[in-house]
Amino acid sequence: MSAPLHGIRVLDVSTLFAGPLAATLLGDFGADVIKVEHPRKPDAARGHGPAKDGVNLWWKTLGRNKRTVTIDLGTPRGAELLLALAAEADVLIENFRPGTLERWGLGPDELHAANPRLVIARVTAFGQFGPYSARPGFGSLAEAMSGFAALTGEPDGPPTLPPFGLADGIAALATAYAVMVGLRAGTGQVIDMAIIEPILMLLGGQITAYDQLGQVQPRTGNRSVNNAPRNVYRTADGDWVAVSTSSQSIAERVLRLVGRPDVVDEPWFASGHQRAQHADELDAAVSAWIAARPTERVVAEFERAQAAVSRVYDVRGVLADPQYQALGTVRTVDDEELGPIRMQNVLFRMSATPGEIRWPGRRHGADTDEVLASIGVTPEQLAALRESGIV
């Protein structure tokens, strides 16, 4: 069967992470994604992270399943070309500062005049309006503003930002979902996605807790305010394992396993929130038990007790793990520049219409001729466009 999004055309005119990753997620399930970049200023994501022989490695994942085109959208002729592409597209994803597309004659009014059914996703740090809308911003600011950084880190340490694009990734998932809702609605519309909002949604009930109880959630390191024991613990081998007891039954199994069945009958043990108030005692019991045993035995005994545990992996552990291998979470694909390369597979499995990595991220502008020819640009016109720097 054809991919579920086969026949959907997406114009990706965004840069860096949230917008481009949303387009990648759509492309993984069959959408025809056309990545539009400036002729002389490629997407800055092509310069992030490590490279091999001058070839950026992150781009191979972020740019997969996309045809790459170069157009200078800030020129009148470049704007005309994008409007022609938009006339045959279903979705456009952009992340310029509010007002930029309008200044180029490519705002929603012009885009919808060319294609009334176009779903336009506008992904910015702060949204299309409000006092911060004109500010430059990235996912790190969303991680700070949302309260995530304030919750992350040790209690006596500074707020901590993640070493990867967490807020951007969450916003990308939200944008892909919003696009699908827009397509399902069946009418052209504008999606206003502010990166500061999706991560806030995932931070739980802290707003309601403050509103109703005046509570401000503190930094607790690897512990949780909602349950205990919940932490990382070092084994006799020097490895780290993570233990979580979000459910009552798992908490009881863990404490019986580590030799403290007596606490299970304590009145405070009956709820996760109350257990969290006794985290010192519970952590001490779990930590001592794990520290006295090698990693393999810790994991095996937790599994026998049907208690939740996981090794703490770096990328080497991920690649060697048999569960990831069974799921096919990492896929080897052939790349025209690097040969066989490994990357994360599509995000989920579907029984009847699975997604697919058709090709890794392509060279800057690799498909310009093919894509522009599809909207009637002749070879002579293309040569003139290149001469003038428009493509």
Side-chain angles (χ1 to χ4, degrees):
M1 297 182 67
S2 63
L5 298 184
H6 177 75
I8 300 295
R9 177 167 289 183
V10 178
L11 298 180
D12 175 11
V13 300
S14 58
T15 59
L16 290 171
F17 308 118
L21 181 55
T24 302
L25 297 174
L26 299 172
D28 283 351
F29 285 89
D32 175 20
V33 180
I34 299 173
K35 172 72 176 180
V36 180
E37 299 174 80
H38 192 281
R40 294 166 297 283
K41 301 173 186 175
D43 187 336
R46 291 182 181 268
H48 278 249
K52 179 182 179 182
D53 300 330
V55 178
N56 182 266
L57 300 179
W58 196 349
W59 176 253
K60 292 302 176 183
T61 299
L62 187 62
R64 72 190 188 194
N65 294 332
K66 299 180 183 182
R67 295 192 285 167
T68 60
V69 176
T70 60
I71 303 175
D72 185 349
L73 302 180
T75 63
R77 180 58 175 140
E80 290 177 4
L81 292 171
L82 187 73
L83 288 172
L85 289 171
E88 300 181 359
D90 302 281
V91 178
L92 182 142
I93 301 174
E94 65 96 3
N95 71 335
F96 296 101
R97 287 199 213 179
T100 301
L101 284 187
E102 286 82 351
R103 190 170 67 250
W104 293 340
L106 291 170
D109 290 346
E110 291 84 0
L111 289 167
H112 281 146
N115 182 352
R117 61 183 177 79
L118 187 69
V119 174
I120 304 168
R122 314 194 77 171
V123 186
T124 58
F126 305 111
Q128 294 295 310
F129 56 92
Y132 299 170
S133 61
R135 292 183 182 180
F138 301 99
S140 297
L141 303 190
E143 289 146 11
M145 283 184 62
S146 65
F148 172 85
L151 296 176
T152 307
E154 294 302 319
D156 57 351
T160 302
L161 296 171
F164 64 98
L166 176 64
D168 283 301
I170 296 171
L173 290 164
T175 300
Y177 167 65
V179 165
M180 297 308 300
V181 172
L183 290 171
R184 180 65 177 84
T187 183
Q189 56 189 302
V190 179
I191 297 164
D192 180 5
M193 180 64 66
I195 297 173
I196 60 174
E197 292 183 305
I199 187 172
L200 184 62
M201 174 62 76
L202 296 192
L203 287 175
Q206 61 175 333
I207 289 177
T208 307
Y210 179 76
D211 175 67
Q212 296 295 305
L213 302 172
Q215 293 180 351
V216 177
Q217 186 171 331
R219 257 192 314 284
T220 55
N222 290 315
R223 289 178 173 177
S224 170
V225 297
N226 299 311
N227 64 83
R230 190 264 200 179
N231 214 323
V232 294
Y233 308 91
R234 200 159 202 171
T235 70
D237 297 331
D239 298 326
W240 292 92
V241 296
V243 173
S244 177
T245 58
S246 294
S247 73
Q248 183 67 24
S249 60
I250 297 293
E252 294 174 4
R253 291 171 195 164
V254 169
L255 270 297
R256 290 191 175 105
L257 173 65
V258 303
R260 288 297 308 275
D262 55 298
V263 299
V264 173
D265 296 325
E266 293 286 346
W268 54 260
F269 199 85
S271 76
H273 181 68
Q274 292 183 78
R275 292 200 311 273
Q277 297 173 32
H278 294 261
D280 286 345
E281 179 181 358
L282 299 177
D283 266 349
V286 176
S287 178
W289 187 91
I290 289 176
R293 291 161 175 80
T295 308
E296 291 292 340
R297 184 177 171 191
V298 169
V299 173
E301 295 207 25
F302 263 75
E303 288 181 353
R304 275 195 291 272
Q306 298 186 48
V309 70
S310 173
R311 292 174 173 87
V312 176
Y313 287 149
D314 60 18
V315 66
R316 294 167 296 185
V318 170
L319 292 173
D321 184 80
Q323 182 62 31
Y324 280 132
Q325 292 173 358
L327 293 174
T329 306
V330 177
R331 166 94 185 275
T332 300
V333 294
D334 289 323
D335 179 67
E336 60 186 2
E337 295 177 283
L338 298 173
I341 59 174
R342 288 184 288 183
M343 65 178 63
Q344 298 95 319
N345 206 343
V346 298
L347 196 58
F348 48 86
R349 289 160 294 282
M350 296 185 70
S351 60
T353 56
E356 180 185 7
I357 303 173
R358 302 186 296 282
W359 62 82
R362 289 170 57 74
R363 292 182 178 93
H364 180 229
D367 304 288
T368 300
D369 292 18
E370 173 192 358
V371 171
L372 294 188
S374 72
I375 56 171
V377 178
T378 67
E380 294 77 17
Q381 291 171 329
L382 191 59
L385 289 169
R386 281 209 168 88
E387 179 69 24
S388 62
I390 295 174
V391 302

